[in-house]
Amino acid sequence: SKPGRGASFTIALPLVEAVSDLEEEPEHGPDGGTETILLVDDEEAVRKVLARGLQERGYRVLEASTGSQALDVLRESRDGIDLVITDVAMPGMSGVDLAHEALQLRTFLPFIFVSGQPREVLPDFGSLEQDHPLLEKPFPPDVLATCVRARLDSGATSGSTEDDRVSSG
């Protein structure tokens, strides 16, 4: 457009029928639980949002801002952690390095990796990739909740020994 002449736009939107309030079914989110989750992310705002979403579903959430801090928490409550959710790219120790160290402490500890970076630029996951999922940020809270429940439920039958399993509830 030119100054003083303006512009004209045509927007075409599909026609849909309105859904009455009576026809809408209430959405049920994924089930929660009472297990303990260690949440590791160097960005405090992200960590707080994820922690709140998990706590609202009944989970007990322990937080760490670095990989080394997370290892300290794991050592202190070794059998009390049911799942670790960690950012991949963190200063100092990456989430992948954290997983390698943590799995030395507890072989069958389930992990969920999260990252705001595309998979192609992330460090090599090696054998971790087939056993531990990666969620790419941003993701809706229900996606995290579904992934958490699936990891916790699959961990109960992963062939871990009695010493490696943590009873929930």
Side-chain angles (χ1 to χ4, degrees):
S1 74
K2 294 181 182 178
R5 295 196 50 185
S8 174
F9 298 93
T10 302
I11 299 175
L13 299 173
L15 182 63
V16 296
E17 292 186 33
V19 178
S20 75
D21 290 339
L22 298 175
E23 293 177 19
E24 289 184 29
E25 292 184 28
E27 289 188 30
H28 296 287
D31 291 335
T34 58
E35 294 90 347
T36 300
I37 298 171
L38 175 57
L39 179 60
V40 189
D41 199 308
D42 59 309
E43 293 183 46
E44 183 178 6
V46 171
R47 198 174 61 246
K48 296 297 180 194
V49 167
L50 294 178
R52 186 174 342 112
L54 293 166
Q55 289 165 340
E56 287 173 355
R57 287 180 167 78
Y59 296 108
R60 178 175 177 245
V61 179
L62 305 175
E63 298 180 37
S65 60
T66 66
S68 59
Q69 187 182 44
L71 284 174
D72 289 341
V73 172
L74 280 167
R75 285 183 190 107
E76 290 171 14
S77 58
R78 183 175 172 188
D79 293 331
I81 308 267
D82 299 297
L83 171 71
V84 178
I85 301 172
T86 183
D87 191 8
V88 174
M90 295 184 294
M93 179 185 290
S94 74
V96 173
D97 292 337
L98 166 62
H100 284 294
E101 293 281 331
L103 291 169
Q104 298 285 328
L105 298 172
R106 199 164 137 218
T107 309
F108 296 103
L109 182 64
F111 272 77
I112 296 173
F113 295 104
V114 296
S115 180
Q117 300 176 2
R119 182 182 291 270
E120 298 77 35
V121 301
L122 296 175
D124 183 25
F125 282 71
S127 64
L128 293 175
E129 189 168 17
Q130 62 192 4
D131 296 326
H132 306 281
L134 170 69
L135 293 178
E136 294 183 27
K137 298 176 191 174
F139 46 80
D142 281 355
V143 169
L144 178 61
T146 299
C147 190
V148 164
R149 191 69 259 153
R151 285 299 291 139
L152 289 167
D153 290 346
S154 70
T157 59
S158 67
S160 59
T161 65
E162 189 61 35
D163 292 341
D164 288 317
R165 267 186 253 139
V166 177
S167 64
S168 60

